[in-house]
Amino acid sequence: MTATTTTSPPRPPAGHKSTTGGSSSLSSNKKNLKFWAILLPYFLITYLFFYIHVIQRASIRGEIQQDLHHHYRQHDLLKNTGGKKESLALQKSLKALEEDYQKETEELQKSIQLLQEQQQLQLQQQQQRKQEIHTTNQDDEIITALQNQISVLQHKLDAYLGWGQDGDPFYSSKVHTPCHKFHAAQGSGHAYGLCLDDFPYLNCVVYEFGIREQVEFGMELTEEPYGCEVHAFDPSPITKAWYNGPSPTAMKLQRKPGKWKLYDYGGGFADETITLREYNWGQVSIYHYPESVINPQNCTVSGHCRYHKHKAQKVHQLPVRSVDSIMKELGHDRVAVLKLDVEGSEYRMLENLIDSGACLKIDQILLEWHHYDFDLRYGLSSIPIHNVFHSMLKEKCGLEQFWIHDPTGWPSNEKLYAEMGLTLRYNIASFKRPSSAAAKEAANKPPVFFTKNHGT
């Protein structure tokens, strides 16, 4: 038996407006024009016919009215002169004219009524047709929106599964756009790749989510040559205690509120209060680790192992905001750099950035990935969930990866997680828009990369 192969039809990029929806709308517009081209002359001819008919009736009625006035004058004249025979004949003629006048008056009233009914009918037909056109346009919009949603879902699925031509299993482990002027910016115990191609010096806004007590990244960008306005966000109790404590660094930052400002809420999918739990290094995280795990060192002869109980994480109810909401409140229409080190909340934040379109107003995203797993089919450098976000950031936001700390990331070396049987992996990556031609021409040396630092 011979194997057959089937080729799936090509799909448009995610978020691309469907050509089917466009042609449907164009076809609808052509039908509307054709309809009015036929109906409008009919309306005009019908209206003109009734209008002429009314004018004719009014003209005949006017002539009869003039004859009546003439006969009335003759009748009065004959009465005064004593012409009895002529007066009787004139009375008969007057009676006939009055009957004709009454008849024409009734006909005129009927014609006027018909004209009014015709006008009302035309008005109703026009309103009905407008409603039909409005409904058709709404249907076209709904169909186009559904087609776009299906296209996005297809891209997400292909990216996650590494399916076919659109799904590279190793997509997120690769660099997709070059940076010609690279800088390793220190922050949160790691170095973050910052691209200085097209960087808006002295006119830049930076959002930094998740700082703990480490503010080197933001402080550097407030200084020359950057001169950025840095807004830092962290709801962690450890950050609040540090900022309000005796730290010389915190005191220094408090003395320059125009350049660096701290907000006591974090980043999330929406403006809400969420449950965050105690995490390593005194931080809080969206991650909820297991409190009961199987202890293979404490098993019965029958093969049943007992559970080892871990201390429950302390729970905090803390406020978070979406990036688009923050930008609106602070009056920012552009963010040069968005840095995320939010202990697992980066996924929800990115979902909002992509779905709301706020990512279109951001030039670079620097982030630390938390708590992910690799595809067992391909190994450490194939990360399905990262492939999805990479695909969406490119298709919906125009942002591509220009640097990655390590194609495979690194596992946590926390004893607690090892005892729980967890392998939590981390990585750092940076995204930007493709550099302008001017930035490429200005580049006089290749990118500089730095030594990996997995932290402690």
Side-chain angles (χ1 to χ4, degrees):
M1 184 171 69
T2 58
T4 59
T5 59
T6 59
T7 304
S8 59
R11 290 189 288 274
H16 176 73
K17 290 187 177 179
S18 170
T19 53
T20 305
S23 62
S24 174
S25 179
L26 184 62
S27 174
S28 175
N29 290 334
K30 287 181 177 179
K31 289 178 181 177
N32 293 336
L33 289 173
K34 186 177 181 181
F35 172 83
W36 286 111
I38 296 171
L39 199 60
L40 193 58
Y42 166 76
F43 282 156
L44 290 174
I45 292 169
T46 307
Y47 181 81
L48 188 62
F49 169 78
F50 280 101
Y51 184 71
I52 292 172
H53 184 69
V54 168
I55 291 174
Q56 288 176 340
R57 285 292 180 187
S59 177
I60 294 170
R61 182 173 175 272
E63 291 175 1
I64 294 173
Q65 194 172 22
Q66 287 179 357
D67 288 343
L68 278 170
H69 289 160
H70 176 68
H71 280 66
Y72 282 135
R73 285 196 298 272
Q74 284 187 330
H75 181 263
D76 292 340
L77 184 62
L78 286 171
K79 278 174 65 177
N80 294 332
T81 56
K84 192 173 181 182
K85 264 187 177 184
E86 291 82 352
S87 179
L88 288 172
L90 195 56
Q91 284 178 1
K92 288 181 181 180
S93 180
L94 277 170
K95 187 176 180 181
L97 284 171
E98 287 173 350
E99 290 175 354
D100 289 343
Y101 181 78
Q102 183 63 32
K103 182 179 178 182
E104 289 300 328
T105 300
E106 291 173 356
E107 290 293 331
L108 179 60
Q109 289 174 346
K110 288 180 182 178
S111 297
I112 292 172
Q113 185 178 354
L114 285 172
L115 180 62
Q116 291 173 340
E117 290 174 355
Q118 182 65 23
Q119 288 175 328
Q120 185 65 28
L121 178 61
Q122 290 177 2
L123 182 61
Q124 289 175 355
Q125 289 174 334
Q126 289 174 2
Q127 290 174 342
Q128 182 180 355
R129 187 55 186 166
K130 284 180 181 178
Q131 182 61 38
E132 290 173 357
I133 293 170
H134 179 68
T135 303
T136 301
N137 291 339
Q138 282 185 323
D139 291 344
D140 289 344
E141 291 172 3
I142 292 170
I143 290 169
T144 301
L146 287 173
Q147 288 171 332
N148 289 334
Q149 289 176 11
I150 290 170
S151 176
V152 169
L153 288 172
Q154 287 174 334
H155 274 78
K156 287 180 179 178
L157 185 62
D158 288 347
Y160 188 85
L161 296 176
W163 190 279
Q165 185 177 357
D166 293 337
D168 179 358
F170 307 101
Y171 189 77
S172 62
S173 65
K174 300 174 182 177
V175 167
H176 298 285
T177 188
C179 173
H180 303 279
K181 194 174 182 182
F182 183 91
H183 174 63
Q186 296 298 318
S188 304
H190 303 287
Y192 288 81
L194 179 67
C195 189
L196 302 180
D197 297 354
D198 307 307
F199 195 84
Y201 294 98
L202 305 178
N203 187 30
C204 46
V205 173
V206 175
Y207 283 7
E208 184 178 9
F209 288 87
I211 60 167
R212 195 171 42 144
E213 302 163 319
Q214 299 170 317
V215 292
E216 300 87 356
F217 179 87
M219 287 184 68
E220 179 184 359
L221 290 182
T222 63
E223 305 294 343
E224 298 293 341
Y226 310 103
C228 295
E229 176 186 318
V230 177
H231 298 264
F233 307 86
D234 199 321
S236 303
I238 191 173
T239 302
K240 184 177 181 180
W242 163 80
Y243 190 69
N244 295 323
S247 166
T249 303
M251 292 179 180
K252 179 181 177 181
L253 290 170
Q254 291 173 23
R255 287 194 295 270
K256 53 178 193 178
K259 280 293 183 180
W260 192 95
K261 186 173 181 181
L262 176 65
Y263 301 83
D264 61 355
Y265 54 84
F269 181 82
D271 297 356
E272 56 187 347
T273 298
I274 64 172
T275 298
L276 295 174
R277 292 177 167 83
E278 182 183 13
Y279 196 59
N280 50 17
W281 304 308
Q283 301 172 111
V284 292
S285 170
I286 200 169
Y287 190 75
H288 187 186
Y289 59 63
E291 296 170 9
S292 297
V293 295
I294 297 171
N295 184 1
Q297 306 302 322
N298 190 0
C299 303
T300 64
V301 177
S302 61
H304 292 86
C305 300
R306 291 182 173 86
Y307 291 99
H308 177 74
K309 300 287 185 180
H310 289 278
K311 180 184 175 182
Q313 293 166 280
K314 185 178 179 180
V315 173
H316 302 269
Q317 299 295 323
L318 296 172
V320 295
R321 301 277 301 276
S322 65
V323 173
D324 58 324
S325 173
I326 295 171
M327 290 181 69
K328 289 174 184 175
E329 181 174 308
L330 300 182
H332 297 143
D333 56 10
R334 199 90 204 154
V335 173
V337 179
L338 173 66
K339 176 178 170 288
L340 304 178
D341 185 4
V342 287
E343 318 308 326
S345 291
E346 63 270 15
Y347 300 103
R348 292 292 282 163
M349 290 188 70
L350 288 171
E351 287 170 17
N352 171 265
L353 283 169
I354 294 167
D355 289 348
S356 70
C359 59
L360 296 169
K361 302 175 184 178
I362 297 170
D363 295 327
Q364 293 189 54
I365 296 179
L366 285 49
L367 64 86
E368 180 172 350
W369 294 111
H370 299 77
H371 319 145
Y372 59 86
D373 208 348
F374 56 87
D375 191 330
L376 289 174
R377 296 176 298 170
Y378 303 111
L380 291 177
S381 55
S382 176
I383 318 297
I385 190 62
H386 291 180
N387 290 341
V388 172
F389 280 101
H390 277 247
S391 177
M392 291 298 99
L393 284 170
K394 178 181 178 181
E395 298 295 340
K396 302 275 280 186
C397 311
L399 295 166
E400 299 180 65
Q401 184 165 267
F402 69 87
W403 175 81
I404 183 170
H405 181 88
D406 186 320
T408 65
W410 70 92
S412 170
N413 58 1
E414 289 279 318
K415 180 183 177 183
L416 177 64
Y417 300 145
E419 291 175 349
M420 293 177 177
L422 298 174
T423 304
L424 300 183
R425 302 191 69 82
Y426 304 89
N427 209 341
I428 308 173
S430 299
F431 302 80
K432 73 176 185 69
R433 305 187 186 287
S435 303
S436 67
K440 294 175 184 177
E441 291 176 5
N444 52 16
K445 58 182 180 180
V448 177
F449 294 95
F450 50 83
T451 305
K452 298 175 185 177
N453 172 21
H454 290 173
T456 57

